[in-house]
Amino acid sequence: MTDTAHIGVIGMAVMGQNLARNIASHGIPVAVYNRTSARTAEFVEAHGGDGPIVGTETIEELLAAVERPRRLLLMVKAGAGTDAVIAELSDRLDAGDIIIDGGNAHFADTRRRERELTSRGLRFLGTGISGGEEGALHGPSIMPGGRADAYEEVGEALETIAAQVDGTPCCTYLGPDGAGHYVKMVHNGIEYADMQLIAESYDVLRHGAGLSTDALADVFADWNAGDLESFLIEITADILGTADPRTGEPMVDMIVDEASQKGTGRWTAQLALELGVPSTAITEAVYARVVSSRNAQRHHAASVLRGPGPDGSIAADGLVDDVRAALYAAKIVAYAQGFEQLAAATAEYDWDLDLGSIATIWRGGCIIRAKFLDRIKQAYDRAPDLDNLLLDDYFRSRVAEGQDAWRRVVTTAVASGIAVPALSSALSYYDGVRRERLPANLIQAQRDYFGAHTYHRTDDAGAYHLRWTTDGSEESRD
Ligand code: NBP
């Protein structure tokens, strides 16, 4: 079969297989290739009859099977694996052919690859794909960035295979070079914060107030029927209601409390620091996973570092409603920070990201899909240049309503020795951004005292230095 496939998929591990099945299920002819050809053969054996799927054994066969300009979707290991495949392809492709990297690439790698491939006459689309195996098969959230003229050639297929919410595909062209992978990375960062806030809420109610996992399963199911409705709350209810098939104990109690990570949360936090954006909830969520992973150290410390006495125990009365309100308010902060980071990135890299569209394509197919994202879209429709989501009328009033409960949850957790880094840092961020005057005046005074770094006055323009330790006089340093 020559020239018959609309698109080729390279990399037949779980993501590539499921995306190829998804593409074929829409009647779009797809050619598939994997370095280890036995995997391709197994895949074609199992699914070749499901739709227009062509198995190929060599890169040459794959390139012959795909119509021009070739559209090639890479689903291989991010990093060196992706570079190796691109190097193998780029010598064999024709001008105008399109490589779509659907892996979890760092956006700086995507920028580099886009530059290199453009200089060779090829077109590159760095494309974030969220939703794991299930999303890949049934409709992921797709975040494409790179050459706009390349998107015109592949957009229809990508929008067809993406999740659809209210008739709108969870896929849209986002911007040049690394924009797609940056948006995907912040998506993953927000996912870290969302999961950490849920875990802290569970901790306060389970280990602070002593609710059973069965009772908590009902609490989360109830929350999922309201404003907190989301994939993560839904699966949390399901997880908490699941018994261990071996012992009959709650499954969650049988799972070691060490959270792993693949790095996208850490990248988001690192890049937030570089941009000077306070993405504190995401960063705390990354740190919390690091603390959890030091299991041996924690076990030792638990026996030597004392916590609060019995007065620190938590009364369950009213706490469930308080935690729901705290979780919602803190979630608003986490998303506000993530979107602030995207706004800073678009300014830094000249991407022209449309923040409302990003909220729209996260509504389905991905891990952070939630009713809540409609609210974010509406906020950007009302004010496309919104500085901070917290300043939108809806979010402002919801945080204002929830804040007393949020403060009670954080103070209760602190008093009872339950770590709530994301809930409390999100609250500190809220209190920081809403304060007209912060204690940074003292920091500036200290910097001027020890390093003559100067300060600005509240009552006059210009930069000044005070001779703190000599005659106490002030000099202008403009
Ligand atoms: P993996 O990330 O485990 O990668 C395995 C695939 O990469 C195999 O097909 C393997 O071929 C191929 N590969 C490697 Br490794 N090095 C190669 C090389 N030098 N040349 C050619 N092929 C090479 O697969 P995955 O879990 O399906 O994920 C694919 C991409 O999608 C990754 O970038 C991942 O980060 C991203 N992603 C994954 C998920 C998820 O839920 N798993 C979600 C979203 C995005 P072989 O069979 O010959 O070894």
Side-chain angles (χ1 to χ4, degrees):
M1 285 219 232
T2 306
D3 263 11
T4 52
H6 181 72
I7 191 164
V9 177
I10 300 179
M12 285 287 104
V14 60
M15 289 295 287
Q17 289 201 15
N18 282 356
L19 281 167
R21 290 173 63 194
N22 181 350
I23 294 167
S25 75
H26 286 93
I28 302 170
V30 55
V32 298
Y33 167 80
N34 193 64
R35 177 180 59 178
T36 310
S37 56
R39 226 169 185 171
T40 314
E42 275 167 38
F43 173 72
V44 173
E45 169 83 24
H47 298 290
D50 297 356
I53 295 174
V54 185
T56 65
E57 284 192 15
T58 63
I59 290 263
E60 283 72 19
E61 246 184 79
L62 173 80
L63 297 187
V66 180
E67 66 186 19
R68 312 298 198 269
R70 297 183 184 92
R71 303 166 189 85
L72 300 168
L73 172 60
L74 306 194
M75 293 310 300
V76 301
K77 208 173 237 4
T82 304
D83 277 325
V85 178
I86 289 176
E88 220 177 332
L89 281 175
S90 52
D91 288 339
R92 296 175 164 87
L93 292 179
D94 298 318
D97 283 349
I98 299 163
I99 298 177
I100 308 152
D101 175 16
N104 269 339
H106 191 288
F107 90 108
D109 286 339
T110 301
R111 285 163 72 84
R112 168 179 58 78
R113 289 171 184 143
E114 203 262 347
R115 266 197 314 276
E116 288 167 4
L117 290 171
T118 298
S119 74
R120 305 179 68 153
L122 300 173
R123 295 184 283 177
F124 188 61
L125 284 171
T127 300
I129 301 184
S130 172
E133 304 176 30
E134 279 295 299
L137 184 57
H138 299 296
S141 175
I142 305 180
M143 294 156 249
R147 293 277 296 265
D149 61 348
Y151 188 74
E152 278 171 26
E153 308 270 3
V154 300
E156 197 179 330
L158 294 183
E159 289 174 24
T160 301
I161 64 163
Q164 312 285 320
V165 176
D166 304 332
T168 304
C170 292
C171 171
T172 191
Y173 174 71
L174 292 170
D177 58 82
H181 277 134
Y182 198 98
V183 170
K184 169 63 164 52
M185 177 197 73
V186 172
H187 163 282
N188 284 27
I190 291 176
E191 178 183 317
Y192 271 59
D194 222 339
M195 292 168 73
Q196 178 64 25
L197 289 168
I198 292 172
E200 290 174 16
S201 301
Y202 146 81
D203 200 16
V204 168
L205 293 172
R206 174 83 185 95
H207 303 109
L211 266 66
S212 69
T213 45
D214 279 346
L216 275 172
D218 292 341
V219 165
F220 276 88
D222 188 39
W223 289 356
N224 197 44
D227 283 335
L228 281 168
E229 180 190 327
S230 58
F231 172 71
L232 283 170
I233 296 283
E234 179 189 334
I235 66 166
T236 302
D238 206 20
I239 289 166
L240 291 167
T242 300
D244 174 22
R246 292 202 216 172
T247 62
E249 294 296 314
M251 191 62 222
V252 73
D253 290 348
M254 305 308 295
I255 295 175
V256 174
D257 56 338
E258 287 179 51
S260 312
Q261 47 180 323
K262 285 191 178 165
T264 40
R266 185 173 62 236
W267 292 347
T268 315
Q270 286 169 334
L271 290 165
L273 273 173
E274 278 180 27
L275 286 174
V277 176
S279 295
T280 58
I282 294 170
T283 307
E284 285 296 348
V286 176
Y287 284 142
R289 289 196 189 190
V290 174
V291 172
S292 81
S293 69
R294 298 181 175 170
N295 210 341
Q297 186 191 61
R298 285 191 290 117
H299 274 88
H300 173 64
S303 62
V304 292
L305 299 181
R306 280 184 45 196
D311 288 350
S313 65
I314 296 182
D317 285 357
L319 195 65
V320 170
D321 285 340
D322 276 0
V323 173
R324 181 188 47 73
L327 178 56
Y328 194 64
K331 186 178 157 114
I332 292 172
V333 166
Y335 280 68
Q337 293 175 345
F339 276 85
E340 190 188 341
Q341 182 164 346
L342 288 175
T346 196
E348 175 76 15
Y349 304 111
D350 223 358
W351 283 336
D352 203 20
L353 292 177
D354 177 340
L355 301 181
S357 295
I358 292 171
T360 304
I361 65 167
W362 288 349
R363 291 184 309 161
C366 64
I367 306 300
I368 63 171
R369 60 185 181 263
K371 192 166 137 184
F372 181 75
L373 287 156
D374 280 325
R375 301 282 190 185
I376 297 180
K377 165 82 176 114
Q378 288 156 12
Y380 285 115
D381 283 348
R382 281 191 286 274
D385 295 328
L386 190 64
D387 264 353
N388 188 318
L389 274 178
L390 284 171
L391 298 176
D392 171 73
D393 282 350
Y394 171 78
F395 291 116
R396 184 173 59 189
S397 61
R398 291 309 309 269
V399 174
E401 278 162 35
Q403 68 165 313
D404 290 346
W406 189 8
R407 293 180 195 287
R408 283 193 294 275
V409 170
V410 170
T411 49
T412 306
V414 170
S416 29
I418 292 183
V420 284
L423 281 170
S424 59
S425 77
L427 182 56
S428 290
Y429 169 86
Y430 176 67
D431 284 335
V433 297
R434 66 174 193 83
R435 280 279 296 281
E436 225 171 77
R437 200 154 159 77
L438 289 166
N441 48 343
L442 180 57
I443 291 172
Q444 283 302 92
Q446 291 166 334
R447 293 179 70 246
D448 188 57
Y449 188 107
F450 63 67
H453 293 303
T454 75
Y455 53 84
H456 295 287
R457 295 187 57 93
T458 56
D459 58 356
D460 198 4
Y464 297 94
H465 167 61
L466 198 83
R467 297 187 187 90
W468 298 89
T469 53
T470 54
D471 62 0
S473 63
E474 184 178 68
E475 63 184 83
S476 171
R477 286 281 181 98
D478 274 334

